[in-house]
Amino acid sequence: MAAAVVPALKHWRTTLERAEKFVSPVYSSHDCNLRSRLYRDSCPVAGLSSFLTPERLPYQEAIQQDFCPAQVGDSFGPTWWTCWFRVELTIPEAWVGQEVHFRWESDGEGMVWRDGEPVQGLTKEGEKTSYVLTERLGEGDPRSLTLYVEVACSGLLGAGKGTMIAAPDPEKMFQVSRAELALFHQDVHKLLVDLELLLGMAKGLGEDNQRSFQALYTANQIVNVCDPAQPETFLMAQDLASKFFGQRGGESQHTIHAMGHCHIDTAWLWPFKETVRKCARSWVTAVQLMERNPEFIFVCSQAQQLEWVKNQYPGLYSRLQEFACRGQFVPVGGTWVEMDGNLPSGEAMVRQFLQGQNFFLQEFGKMCSEFWLPDSFGYSAQLPQIMCNCGIRHFLTQKLSWNLVNSFPHHTFFWEGLDGSCVLAHFPPGDSYGMEGSVEEVLKTVAKNRDKGRTNHSAFLFGFGDGGGGPTQTMVDRLKRLCNTDGLPRVQLSSPGQLFSALESDSGQLCTWVGELFLELHNGTYTTHAQIKKGNRECERILHDVELLSSLALVRSAQFLYPAAQLQDLWRLLLLNQFHDVVTGSCIQLVAEEAMCHYEDIRSHGNTLLNTAAAALCAGEPGPEGLLIVNTLPWKRTEVLALPRPGGTHSLALVTVPSMGYAPAPALTSLQLLLPQQPVFVVRETDGSVTLDNGIIRVKLDPTGRLTSLVLVASDREAIAEGAVGNQFVLFDDVPLYWDAWDVMDYHLETRKPVLGQAGTLAVGTEGGVRGSAWFLLQISPNSRLSQEVVLDVGCPYVRFHTEVHWHEDHKFLKVEFPARVRSPQATYEVQFGHLQRPTHQNTSWDWARFEVWAHRWMDLSEHGFGLALLNDCKYGASVRGSVLSLSLLRAPKAPDATADMGRHEFTYALMPHKGECYLAPSLQTSVFPSQWGKLLPYAPISFCTTRPFPASAQALSRTPVLSKQPTASISHCWFCPPQARCPWLPGVPSLCPPQLWCWRPSSRQGVGWRGSGWGPPLALPTAHFPLQAESTPQGRTLVLRLYEAHGSHVDCWLRTSLPVQEAVLCDLLERRDPAGHLPFRDARLKLTFSPFQVQSLLVVLQAPLN
């Protein structure tokens, strides 16, 4: 008689916990636990020996070293060293026909080498602790073999002392805890995956869901029939699971596009060189998965990392190219690295795509159509335009899910940029790029989607990330099992192309977000590691100048060789440093030191290239002092320079230099009796205050160096708020909740402490004439001090503050404030290729969350008819709250770099009152481009050119009093100007403006059009260079010109030049010709039309120069 069936009345919690215990790794040593049977028989390795080195040696060199006997449990280190292990294996005969694994566990990241090639990454933190020697041991397979395991003395996320982001522990030791052979039970693995998914559904769907109970009861039945000690029971258990997962969902199910992903920070809590090995460890593991799972697709960004692997692991790289041809390895992103989305200049962002897209095209046969930037700390409003002009139509990130205050309202939407360009943007609703394939994550992806009803597709990026690791076979198995199961969304192993095609096909109801994607967190990265920020700004300028002068030299001289290869190397070095954890300063000390070395390389090699190009351009015209002054900007400039003289001295001179031209340095004897403009007067009052006046602005400093008055003389308009003082240094407590180098919290504003100086410390520096200055000392704290020279030059519309700080603080934040006599609900900030407005109030939580923002070279607060601009040479953090302009100067975080920002700093900022709104101010256009050397800021590069060695820099700051009668240089030459033309900015002087821009547009003031000479051209020329794939033939050479509209308006213009132009055609930012972009060139000019903030690039084909 059959036994009676017990009614299935089950207690939810006990049933659930019973099944959890059956698969739990905590109970894996118990006979009644299924996981205990995942590996059956095992045997120790036949031999283990090791070799320890501080170097990262290539394989062939490492295996030649002397290995010493080792055993499991041995310690090795310290941090950043490498331990190589030679592993001798002997497989038992009894294991024929079974799956054999080599098991290895260590707290350092490992890589298995077999027959001279990397075959598997081993990372305990990344759940990769075994290497499949064979899926089925054959009769004729070798029983003995030798493996090498390369173990880095660092973990998946570095070697922080105590916490992940703490500074690395330099003495940390590492240990091997397992090294053995074992038989792997594939049936047990499949059952574990099924049970994990069933339990995930039971918990995730909840007790009020029918499907949840079905999942729980199925799991319970599996536990009933499955005896871990009797493998013959596994088949019945698998049938139960298959029956459940075979029940399909409906057609309306949400579709999840699962893609293998491995976010690897190019440098962060580990140095650049360790990233190379992280890439190899992660990608060789992905290769193994692609081999075993033909439907598995792995996406990979960052051309720089691929180039590293190409150079150091050519065998692995060939496999990646092979799987790319199969469609399983998919390069994404289109950029050289996953750069920061805020701080790089517009041109640097273009170069990220130019270098990245060309690399992907050359190495993998096609460019990327999606911009992949999942972990950057905000996204500039100009990125949509740059993307569209670089062949990119789609954008993916997830970082805005980190917002501290406001939840971003969309996951799929159109993103409209500053110029109106649009891209389709998608944020994976699971809010992560490191999913593991769990039911909880799958359900979250659907539940959290903020565009329900507008789209029915989402991305699901799975694989360990940040420190690499990537997907595991278990993750792939989970997602394959969930392909179409009732109660869950449909899951398909997919690609970015499939995802965005599905999103585009159903995009009619998607919303549009206009403007920047501001991350409400990590605001401290605009300021942390000030020296890195300074190096970034300086090197962007150097490369601009090298390209411009080299291009002009090549046009002028048949013998000049354009340094294309050197420039590409220098650009790639700069782009590498613009990775989102390097230029932001959120990296360890070792990385910061490497970044500073990169900047020094760019400065050194860049100045050498500048010398060569300038010498070729200026050959035979050394000037009376053997010195020429070069202006690399597309407008005339007049400013005071400290010119080098014999004996190492310097003398001040007022120098006028044409646009993209040069002027001879004046001789010592060429003193003029009168200055062409009112000289600077310096008056020291009896109370210790000092007044500087050049007839344009009048500056008054109190006895401690604070700014009590700033008057625009022509209108007698005061710029400093009544009863307030400017140039006020303020100190804040800066203690984030966790992310030390990244975050500055809103509550830091509650700890504001003005830094007060002592009366009598202000002294006159330069006593007037072409320059007047005053300087003072300020004790910031017992450990930190500041010295500053306040400088006003003849004819200059702004006052400069040359600052030196010795900074030794813990968790403090130094800013400088300027309360303005201006009222406006919005302030204007320069961004890439333009500017944007942000609120000065806190009406909403979106406004309040922007208590610390980023800007490039200037910010401005304007009301109708008047405004005040604050400019800088190397700062990015800023804010305008109410009417107070604040520039962020220095922080003092202690993690992950305990030395961040400690030491000596030099920087310059400037203050400029002006008529009209900021972007119409006639003098602001010449003020926003900083000088090649910091102390001339905020003007743009004026370089010294001589037939002898070119000075690395020039002292623009002199404490020596000078006469009021100073030498003034006359204009000498501009390259390739139209013959006999007259320059509209310099009456009576031959035109020196190549290319010269004539602009017109409707004028509300006059009712008629006007040309650029009234206000200055609204266009900027950020770069001129030869193409990446330079065209140079006996018939002609091609020059790339990039221009952008800087005011925010529609404008037509003529571009004039006497260059020997054969053809002019529009191109995209990747320097590809626009088939419909031919530009007629007549009468030495061509016509261009711009919309607000539009960037346009031109290919100008030139005749080859005659010798």
Side-chain angles (χ1 to χ4, degrees):
M1 182 176 177
V5 177
V6 178
L9 295 176
K10 304 295 297 178
H11 186 271
W12 172 273
R13 176 180 169 185
T14 58
T15 305
L16 181 68
E17 291 186 5
R18 176 202 186 196
E20 286 180 328
K21 185 173 181 179
F22 188 66
V23 298
S24 170
V26 176
Y27 300 97
S28 59
S29 60
H30 295 198
D31 289 341
C32 59
N33 177 274
L34 182 61
R35 196 172 297 275
S36 68
R37 302 293 173 157
L38 186 60
Y39 288 97
R40 293 187 290 174
D41 297 343
S42 65
C43 68
V45 298
L48 187 66
S49 55
S50 66
F51 159 68
L52 188 64
T53 173
E55 307 296 330
R56 295 176 178 87
L57 299 178
Y59 171 81
Q60 291 296 342
E61 185 177 345
I63 64 173
Q64 301 300 321
Q65 306 302 314
D66 294 328
F67 284 73
C68 299
Q71 59 185 2
V72 173
D74 284 352
S75 294
F76 55 93
T79 303
W80 309 132
W81 283 47
T82 300
C83 193
W84 284 82
F85 291 88
R86 181 187 291 133
V87 184
E88 308 290 345
L89 302 175
T90 301
I91 304 175
E93 283 290 339
W95 290 7
V96 172
Q98 302 185 73
E99 185 170 335
V100 183
H101 287 200
F102 166 58
R103 301 185 71 190
W104 177 276
E105 292 185 15
S106 168
D107 42 9
E109 287 193 271
M111 172 118 82
V112 180
W113 292 79
R114 183 174 182 178
D115 299 328
E117 290 293 335
V119 292
Q120 176 72 52
L122 293 175
T123 308
K124 189 175 181 179
E125 297 160 287
E127 296 183 5
K128 298 175 183 67
T129 56
S130 71
Y131 163 58
V132 182
L133 289 171
T134 174
E135 293 183 356
R136 182 179 178 85
L137 184 63
E139 291 284 355
D141 291 343
R143 302 294 186 265
S144 297
L145 66 155
T146 300
L147 303 178
Y148 287 88
V149 182
E150 177 189 9
V151 182
C153 294
S154 57
L156 196 65
L157 295 173
K161 190 173 185 177
T163 64
M164 179 185 74
I165 66 167
D169 180 356
E171 302 301 324
K172 187 173 182 178
M173 300 299 289
F174 298 79
Q175 188 179 64
V176 174
S177 55
R178 186 192 299 272
E180 65 182 19
L181 287 174
L183 291 177
F184 183 76
H185 203 309
Q186 193 66 239
D187 287 339
V188 172
H189 167 74
K190 292 178 180 178
L191 274 176
L192 288 171
V193 169
D194 286 342
L195 282 166
E196 287 172 352
L197 296 175
L198 288 167
L199 292 172
M201 290 183 68
K203 290 187 289 186
L205 295 175
E207 296 184 49
D208 57 351
N209 185 288
Q210 172 71 16
R211 189 64 171 161
S212 168
F213 277 87
Q214 292 173 0
L216 180 61
Y217 282 19
T218 299
N220 185 66
Q221 287 178 293
I222 290 174
V223 176
N224 286 339
V225 302
C226 180
D227 184 348
Q230 298 182 34
E232 61 272 16
T233 64
F234 296 167
L235 182 59
M236 187 181 300
Q238 289 172 352
D239 289 342
L240 289 169
S242 296
K243 179 180 178 182
F244 177 87
F245 289 110
Q247 295 171 338
R248 304 305 184 192
E251 292 184 4
S252 64
Q253 281 178 297
H254 188 89
T255 298
I256 286 178
H257 295 255
M259 292 167 255
H261 185 246
C262 180
H263 179 62
I264 303 176
D265 285 320
T266 300
W268 180 31
L269 304 177
W270 51 85
F272 289 102
K273 289 182 179 178
E274 191 57 43
T275 303
V276 182
R277 300 199 297 187
K278 283 178 173 288
C279 292
R281 288 189 288 258
S282 302
W283 297 348
V284 75
T285 304
V287 165
Q288 298 286 344
L289 291 175
M290 287 185 280
E291 284 182 334
R292 292 198 292 267
N293 306 274
E295 64 273 67
F296 168 65
I297 294 174
F298 181 75
V299 298
C300 179
S301 65
Q302 307 196 72
Q304 171 69 89
Q305 295 181 3
L306 285 160
E307 189 194 46
W308 281 336
V309 170
K310 176 185 177 182
N311 293 335
Q312 298 192 36
Y313 302 89
L316 169 59
Y317 189 75
S318 296
R319 299 300 311 279
L320 296 177
Q321 290 180 311
E322 175 188 338
F323 282 104
C325 292
R326 299 182 191 177
Q328 287 185 261
F329 182 81
V330 180
V332 294
T335 52
W336 191 245
V337 298
E338 289 186 6
M339 74 284 196
D340 179 66
N342 301 322
L343 307 186
S345 68
E347 187 58 32
M349 285 187 168
V350 170
R351 300 308 175 96
Q352 287 282 355
F353 287 100
L354 182 63
Q355 292 292 332
Q357 289 284 57
N358 276 283
F359 179 89
F360 291 127
L361 178 62
Q362 179 179 340
E363 298 294 325
F364 296 95
K366 62 180 180 180
M367 294 185 179
C368 304
S369 62
E370 60 286 307
F371 181 33
W372 200 271
L373 197 60
D375 197 30
S376 188
F377 310 147
Y379 305 90
S380 165
Q382 275 290 29
L383 274 170
Q385 179 178 192
I386 294 173
M387 281 186 260
C388 289
N389 276 277
C390 290
I392 302 288
R393 298 178 292 114
H394 309 132
F395 173 55
L396 184 143
T397 186
Q398 61 81 48
K399 198 63 179 184
L400 263 66
S401 65
W402 287 46
N403 270 8
L404 190 63
V405 180
N406 300 284
S407 295
F408 193 77
H410 303 294
H411 282 106
T412 306
F413 59 99
F414 288 107
W415 181 22
E416 181 178 313
L418 202 57
D419 74 317
S421 297
C422 259
V423 294
L424 177 59
H426 180 69
F427 299 173
D431 297 337
S432 173
Y433 50 72
M435 300 290 202
E436 298 181 26
S438 70
V439 170
E440 179 184 5
E441 294 165 338
V442 167
L443 290 172
K444 179 182 178 183
T445 297
V446 178
K448 297 294 185 180
N449 180 22
R450 296 193 181 94
D451 294 282
K452 297 182 182 74
R454 288 188 285 265
T455 182
N456 207 27
H457 296 263
S458 296
F460 187 96
L461 308 182
F462 66 97
F464 291 101
D466 291 332
T472 66
Q473 184 63 55
T474 299
M475 296 178 190
V476 175
D477 290 340
R478 289 169 184 158
L479 293 167
K480 287 163 68 174
R481 193 59 150 163
L482 296 178
C483 64
N484 189 1
T485 296
D486 185 26
L488 295 178
R490 183 182 292 106
V491 177
Q492 66 181 55
L493 296 179
S494 187
S495 68
Q498 291 173 293
L499 166 70
F500 282 106
S501 292
L503 293 174
E504 282 183 327
S505 67
D506 191 25
S507 60
Q509 298 186 50
L510 294 180
C511 300
T512 298
W513 180 272
V514 179
E516 67 180 331
L517 296 174
F518 185 84
L519 177 65
E520 297 172 358
L521 198 69
H522 294 356
N523 320 58
T525 58
Y526 316 147
T527 305
T528 303
H529 261 302
Q531 296 290 14
I532 291 180
K533 268 72 171 177
K534 184 175 183 179
N536 179 69
R537 187 79 64 81
E538 287 180 353
C539 290
E540 287 178 340
R541 291 196 299 267
I542 288 171
L543 293 182
H544 165 274
D545 290 354
V546 172
E547 287 189 331
L548 175 63
L549 296 186
S550 296
S551 297
L552 294 175
L554 184 61
V555 171
R556 183 173 182 179
S557 170
Q559 284 71 42
F560 182 80
L561 297 177
Y562 188 81
Q566 298 98 311
L567 275 167
Q568 175 164 277
D569 290 343
L570 295 180
W571 264 113
R572 287 183 171 184
L573 208 54
L574 177 62
L575 300 180
L576 173 63
N577 271 10
Q578 290 180 343
F579 179 74
H580 63 256
D581 275 311
V582 179
V583 71
T584 56
S586 52
C587 54
I588 60 173
Q589 180 181 355
L590 189 57
V591 173
E593 291 170 351
E594 289 181 278
M596 295 306 295
C597 290
H598 293 165
Y599 290 134
E600 188 53 40
D601 286 346
I602 297 170
R603 291 188 188 101
S604 174
H605 292 96
N607 283 329
T608 299
L609 296 176
L610 274 174
N611 292 344
T612 303
L617 280 168
C618 306
E621 301 183 64
E625 294 298 308
L627 191 69
L628 291 173
I629 303 168
V630 178
N631 175 16
T632 60
L633 289 181
W635 46 66
K636 177 207 71 168
R637 296 166 56 199
T638 298
E639 66 183 57
V640 177
L641 295 180
L643 301 178
R645 299 302 185 189
T649 61
H650 295 81
S651 64
L652 295 176
L654 183 65
V655 180
T656 297
V657 189
S659 71
M660 293 187 183
Y662 61 83
L668 282 170
T669 57
S670 63
L671 299 177
Q672 296 182 353
L673 295 177
L674 296 173
L675 286 171
Q677 305 176 62
Q678 175 183 313
V680 180
F681 294 101
V682 180
V683 179
R684 183 180 178 91
E685 307 291 351
T686 57
D687 63 355
S689 64
V690 172
T691 300
L692 310 174
D693 190 336
N694 66 358
I696 300 173
I697 60 174
R698 183 168 60 251
V699 179
K700 186 170 183 179
L701 304 170
D702 75 7
T704 67
R706 296 181 302 178
L707 188 62
T708 57
S709 176
L710 176 62
V711 174
L712 189 61
V713 174
S715 60
D716 198 32
R717 176 67 186 263
E718 174 63 61
I720 301 300
E722 184 177 357
V725 292
N727 201 36
Q728 174 66 66
F729 293 96
V730 288
L731 204 60
F732 299 85
D733 294 338
D734 184 15
V735 187
L737 296 176
Y738 179 71
W739 297 100
D740 215 26
W742 293 260
D743 290 348
V744 55
M745 311 305 294
D746 58 329
Y747 52 73
H748 87 283
L749 297 170
E750 302 173 34
T751 66
R752 179 181 179 275
K753 301 178 185 67
V755 181
L756 303 177
Q758 292 186 345
T761 60
L762 184 67
V764 173
T766 305
E767 295 180 343
V770 295
R771 172 172 292 167
S773 71
W775 64 276
F776 63 91
L777 303 175
L778 181 65
Q779 195 71 34
I780 300 172
S781 75
N783 300 318
S784 301
R785 67 184 188 277
L786 175 152
S787 62
Q788 187 176 80
E789 184 155 18
V790 184
V791 179
L792 183 63
D793 285 344
V794 63
C796 188
Y798 52 80
V799 57
R800 303 195 304 277
F801 301 83
H802 301 311
T803 312
E804 178 181 319
V805 181
H806 292 264
W807 180 249
H808 301 280
E809 300 294 329
D810 293 340
H811 291 109
K812 299 294 181 182
F813 198 168
L814 180 67
K815 303 183 185 184
V816 64
E817 295 178 347
F818 293 91
R821 192 167 175 261
V822 176
R823 179 176 175 81
S824 175
Q826 294 185 113
T828 305
Y829 301 83
E830 192 202 21
V831 298
Q832 298 84 356
F833 297 133
H835 58 263
L836 52 74
Q837 284 76 43
R838 299 184 180 111
T840 61
H841 53 76
Q842 300 179 19
N843 282 357
T844 71
S845 60
W846 294 88
D847 303 329
W848 163 63
R850 301 186 186 201
F851 57 85
E852 178 81 3
V853 298
W854 61 274
H856 281 195
R857 294 165 295 192
W858 57 268
M859 58 179 167
D860 181 274
L861 185 66
S862 291
E863 59 188 33
H864 178 68
F866 183 78
L868 186 63
L870 179 56
L871 307 100
N872 74 86
D873 69 338
C874 60
K875 300 300 176 185
Y876 294 91
S879 65
V880 180
R881 302 178 70 245
S883 295
V884 179
L885 290 85
S886 177
L887 185 65
S888 299
L889 303 177
L890 295 168
R891 296 186 69 222
K894 297 305 169 187
D897 179 4
T899 69
D901 283 320
M902 298 299 100
R904 180 177 175 272
H905 298 266
E906 280 189 82
F907 49 84
T908 298
Y909 52 89
L911 198 63
M912 187 179 77
H914 57 82
K915 291 182 180 179
E917 287 73 27
C918 66
Y919 44 88
L920 294 179
S923 52
L924 187 57
Q925 61 155 340
T926 59
S927 305
V928 301
F929 289 85
S931 172
Q932 178 178 332
W933 56 90
K935 292 181 178 177
L936 274 179
L937 288 155
Y939 268 131
I942 286 188
S943 307
F944 291 100
C945 173
T946 177
T947 54
R948 60 178 185 267
F950 184 113
S953 63
Q955 290 292 330
L957 180 62
S958 171
R959 297 187 186 278
T960 306
V962 295
L963 299 174
S964 61
K965 300 173 182 177
Q966 290 295 326
T968 304
S970 61
I971 297 176
S972 173
H973 186 66
C974 177
W975 296 292
F976 320 116
C977 56
Q980 306 305 318
R982 318 308 289 178
C983 177
W985 291 278
L986 300 171
V989 176
S991 176
L992 306 175
C993 307
Q996 177 184 334
L997 296 173
W998 293 84
C999 312
W1000 70 89
R1001 59 184 172 189
S1003 170
S1004 59
R1005 288 185 173 86
Q1006 300 177 356
V1008 296
W1010 56 270
R1011 293 205 295 182
S1013 56
W1015 286 89
L1019 299 181
L1021 178 73
T1023 185
H1025 65 279
F1026 271 74
L1028 187 63
Q1029 306 297 330
E1031 300 176 30
S1032 180
T1033 68
Q1035 291 74 37
R1037 303 182 181 194
T1038 302
L1039 184 70
V1040 177
L1041 296 180
R1042 184 137 41 247
L1043 305 99
Y1044 71 96
E1045 197 285 321
H1047 287 182
S1049 64
H1050 288 85
V1051 63
D1052 295 322
C1053 69
W1054 290 103
L1055 187 142
R1056 302 181 57 203
T1057 182
S1058 64
L1059 291 171
V1061 177
Q1062 284 186 339
E1063 179 190 12
V1065 62
L1066 293 172
C1067 65
D1068 64 9
L1069 295 178
L1070 300 182
E1071 301 169 0
R1072 300 177 297 186
R1073 289 169 174 258
D1074 180 352
H1078 177 75
L1079 300 170
F1081 185 75
R1082 301 186 186 93
D1083 302 324
R1085 66 181 187 175
L1086 54 88
K1087 183 181 178 182
L1088 296 171
T1089 299
F1090 288 80
S1091 57
F1093 301 117
Q1094 184 182 6
V1095 182
Q1096 291 199 54
S1097 300
L1098 285 71
L1099 290 174
V1100 180
V1101 182
L1102 307 174
Q1103 297 176 7
L1106 298 176
N1107 188 10

